[in-house]
Amino acid sequence: MSVAAGCLRKTPKVRYMRSVARDSELLANAPTPPRVPPLGRGFLNVREAAEHLGLSPCTLYVWRHRRQGPPSFRMGRNGRVMYRIEMLDEWIREQEQVDSRSNTSLSPVNVVPQRRIGYPTTA
């Protein structure tokens, strides 16, 4: 049986493979700009901030929507959500101070019980 005329390849496969190989070789030899590590920039995007805090990026998006969590801002023309590393670390310290497990002055065990007015005192 003969092959239908519409199914014939117009350009040989070898020529296509050579051009793909040449393009990939040019891309491999092209100089790439040095990537600055996230901690060297001073800012983190949502994914990097989530890694820094040990959270999910979705959690940070939800907290931002609810105006909770660490302070963030929009940067650049496209308005990417960014976090300052100093602000993330400060927010972590604030969370430690608010938690009664790490701040003994807030622990309910250390509080003297209050007497209710109108109840008889027990001896």
Side-chain angles (χ1 to χ4, degrees), residues 44-96:
L44 300 175
N45 60 24
V46 175
R47 184 182 49 79
E48 294 165 344
E51 275 183 33
H52 184 74
L53 295 172
L55 300 170
S56 164
C58 295
T59 302
L60 285 180
Y61 279 120
V62 169
W63 283 355
R64 180 175 162 79
H65 176 73
R66 294 180 182 170
R67 299 187 188 279
Q68 298 173 340
S72 61
F73 62 97
R74 291 195 172 272
M75 177 188 271
R77 197 174 58 173
N78 296 332
R80 294 184 63 174
V81 176
M82 301 295 280
Y83 294 87
R84 283 187 187 273
I85 296 173
E86 300 90 28
M87 296 304 288
L88 288 175
D89 294 335
E90 183 180 327
W91 181 79
I92 290 172
R93 284 190 292 276
E94 289 174 6
Q95 298 305 305
E96 290 173 347

Side-chain angles (χ1 to χ4, degrees), residues 5-71:
C7 295
L8 291 177
R9 189 181 297 266
K10 303 250 189 249
T11 58
K13 186 175 182 180
V14 175
R15 185 181 302 160
Y16 173 74
M17 295 302 286
R18 284 183 190 153
S19 67
V20 168
R22 188 176 351 106
D23 291 345
S24 62
E25 183 180 322
L26 289 174
L27 287 175
N29 294 334
T32 57
R35 183 165 171 88
V36 178
L39 297 178
R41 290 191 314 240
F43 302 106
L44 300 175
N45 60 24
V46 175
R47 184 182 49 79
E48 294 165 344
E51 275 183 33
H52 184 74
L53 295 172
L55 300 170
S56 164
C58 295
T59 302
L60 285 180
Y61 279 120
V62 169
W63 283 355
R64 180 175 162 79
H65 176 73
R66 294 180 182 170
R67 299 187 188 279
Q68 298 173 340

Side-chain angles (χ1 to χ4, degrees), residues 105-123:
S105 65
L106 297 176
S107 177
V109 175
N110 297 336
V111 176
V112 178
Q114 297 177 353
R115 299 211 178 265
R116 292 188 178 184
I117 300 175
Y119 284 92
T121 58
T122 58

